[in-house]
């Protein structure tokens, strides 16, 4: 069913605002300090601060925890795409993001690595805020339409 171009444009604006918001929250999750959880201070920053690779001391995420940022590759690989009208996706362009989320078989150690979920917990933690971002995106599109219409009168 078609709702008309203005309604579809507003919905798309809301979808993109919501997916961009989720991307920013995922970035904070992936760059959080492994002990305090402070966003933007990952394991790499701690390693530089103390002058030793903290992974060498065994400071790694445990099964069920979000992965600690040994590098910012995963966080920097986050993407947002509009795949079709009313559909946007947020995710990683790196394959190992899926492996971390769901667990995987490590061929180098011949063992199963338990999941380090980062996407679903972040989404669940932010459901209300994602909806707020969607509504804000729709409102912004409505206001933009009004301004453009007023400018042409």
């Amino acid at each position: 069913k078609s709702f008309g171009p203005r309604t579809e444009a507003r919905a798309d604006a809301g979808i993109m605002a919501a997916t961009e918001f989720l991307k920013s929250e995922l970035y904070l999750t992936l760059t959080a300090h492994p002990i305090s959880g402070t966003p933007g201070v990952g394991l790499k920053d701690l390693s530089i601060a103390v002058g030793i690779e903290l992974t060498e001391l065994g400071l790694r995420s445990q099964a069920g925890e979000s992965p600690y940022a040994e590098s910012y590759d995963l966080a920097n690989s986050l993407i947002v795409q509009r795949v079709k009208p009313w559909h946007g996706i947020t995710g990683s362009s790196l394959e190992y993001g899926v492996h971390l989320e769901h667990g995987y078989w490590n061929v180098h150690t011949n063992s199963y690595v338990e999941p380090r979920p980062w996407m679903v917990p972040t989404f669940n933690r932010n459901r209300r805020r994602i909806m707020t971002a969607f509504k804000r995106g729709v409102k912004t599109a409505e206001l933009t339409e009004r301004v453009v219409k007023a400018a042409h009168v």
Side-chain angles (χ1 to χ4, degrees), residues 53-116:
E53 274 300 316
L54 297 178
T55 54
E56 294 174 15
L57 300 175
L59 187 56
R60 293 186 178 272
S61 60
Q62 299 300 306
E65 295 180 329
S66 294
Y68 296 162
E70 294 178 27
S71 71
Y72 292 116
D73 294 345
L74 186 58
N76 290 329
S77 76
L78 295 174
I79 57 169
V80 168
Q81 288 182 327
R82 180 182 181 270
V83 291
K84 59 183 178 178
W86 299 44
H87 293 82
I89 59 170
T90 303
S92 169
S93 61
L94 299 177
E95 188 176 326
Y96 81 88
V98 174
H99 297 304
L100 287 171
E101 183 76 17
H102 300 289
Y104 63 98
W105 186 261
N106 185 329
V107 295
H108 303 291
T109 62
N110 201 27
S111 61
Y112 180 72
V113 177
E114 295 289 331
R116 271 55 176 181

Side-chain angles (χ1 to χ4, degrees), residues 108-127:
H108 303 291
T109 62
N110 201 27
S111 61
Y112 180 72
V113 177
E114 295 289 331
R116 271 55 176 181
W118 55 280
M119 200 160 200
V120 171
T122 302
F123 176 82
N124 288 337
R125 209 174 33 250
N126 288 285
R127 282 178 187 261

